Amino acid sequence: DGGITQSPKYLFRKEGQNVTLSCEQNLNHDAMYWYRQDPGQGLRLIYYSQIVNDFQKGDIAEGYSVSREKKESFPLTVTSAQKNPTAFYLCASSRDPAAPGELFFGEGSRLTVL
Amino acid sequence: AQSVTQPDIHITVSEGASLELRCNYSYGATPYLFWYVQSPGQGLQLLLKYFSGDTLVQGIKGFEAEFKRSQSSFNLRKPSVHWSDAAEYFCAVGAGRTGANNLFFGTGTRLTVIP
């Protein structure tokens, strides 16, 4: 079945450590996105990529980094510079980079900083 | 700049009752509007969308939504709620054909269904 796979589902990190969240899609979508979700808040865009080897900062990119070396993969690194990294992270993709917002989401990764 | 307001943080309904979730948006032009649903610990799934045309749109799982330009609203409705509809619902507005990087989400409404 086509879809988006995020791993790990749960991740614990000590303060000062970098962690990388994986996002893989087999939908052949060009655009991919990373969102952060906190309780009582909507989704906030961290980074997005509309094509391989190119990505753009979203609204809350500070303390995060991404890469897009393959169409299928868009990993997110939460660096030690992110002051409040505990959150639920969602990866998404869309067929058309210019599409207004028909997103397909993964099941998310919950990061907890100890 | 666009924004989305979901005034109800939490709604509780009885199974079989009707449901309406409110969404108000702020955007200067004709918006692209969406409703997504999120089950606990899961990603979001698109319920329905409005781009243009008929202002009453049908979605999956028996949901519908009506775009009312005069009220800047896009409320989600279902005539008879099922226990499996318990989830969090997000309204979102897109700023035209500029990609999901210009998609803004509301803060969500959590729906509880009482047997």
Side-chain angles (χ1 to χ4, degrees):
Chain A
D1 285 337
I4 297 180
T5 301
Q6 290 188 238
S7 63
K9 194 168 178 68
Y10 299 96
L11 185 60
F12 298 88
R13 185 194 99 174
K14 292 182 180 179
E15 283 195 29
Q17 290 181 334
N18 293 355
V19 293
T20 297
L21 308 181
S22 170
C23 178
E24 302 280 331
Q25 56 104 352
N26 59 5
L27 300 168
N28 199 33
H29 286 175
D30 287 313
M32 296 186 74
Y33 307 84
W34 274 106
Y35 288 92
R36 170 178 172 142
Q37 185 177 24
D38 295 283
Q41 299 191 36
L43 277 66
R44 293 182 289 169
L45 184 63
I46 304 172
Y47 267 98
Y48 64 97
S49 168
Q50 296 181 323
I51 196 168
V52 175
N53 291 323
D54 185 55
F55 49 83
Q56 306 296 327
K57 292 182 179 180
D59 301 319
I60 56 166
E62 185 175 351
Y64 300 97
S65 66
V66 294
S67 63
R68 187 86 186 278
E69 298 176 1
K70 299 186 300 181
K71 187 175 185 178
E72 303 78 19
S73 179
F74 191 41
L76 173 74
T77 296
V78 184
T79 75
S80 57
Q82 169 48 236
K83 292 182 170 34
N84 185 21
T86 295
F88 190 54
Y89 292 88
L90 288 161
C91 180
S93 71
S94 64
R95 186 179 303 112
D96 178 358
E102 297 182 66
L103 297 173
F104 293 79
F105 283 86
E107 294 194 343
S109 293
R110 185 168 300 280
L111 172 64
T112 302
V113 173
L114 303 173
Chain B
Q2 61 264 48
S3 65
V4 179
T5 301
Q6 293 181 249
D8 303 306
I9 297 173
H10 185 204
I11 283 182
T12 300
V13 300
S14 298
E15 191 168 16
S18 63
L19 171 70
E20 183 169 29
L21 302 183
R22 296 183 291 165
C23 173
N24 293 97
Y25 68 90
S26 173
Y27 183 58
T30 299
Y32 293 78
L33 295 162
F34 307 82
W35 274 99
Y36 283 86
V37 61
Q38 183 181 34
S39 297
Q42 302 292 313
L44 279 70
Q45 180 183 22
L46 180 65
L47 279 177
L48 47 78
K49 64 193 179 200
Y50 171 78
F51 289 172
S52 64
D54 192 348
T55 56
L56 183 64
V57 293
Q58 303 296 322
I60 62 172
K61 305 184 180 186
F63 285 91
E64 67 178 26
E66 186 171 12
F67 170 56
K68 293 185 177 179
R69 183 188 301 276
S70 61
Q71 298 176 19
S72 298
S73 69
F74 189 57
N75 295 349
L76 182 71
R77 301 194 295 248
K78 187 169 185 178
S80 178
V81 170
H82 188 262
W83 63 266
S84 61
D85 293 324
E88 188 140 23
Y89 293 79
F90 291 91
C91 181
V93 59
R97 285 193 62 82
T98 54
N101 46 297
N102 280 310
L103 186 68
F104 293 85
F105 286 86
T107 53
T109 297
R110 184 160 62 93
L111 174 65
T112 297
V113 180
I114 298 173

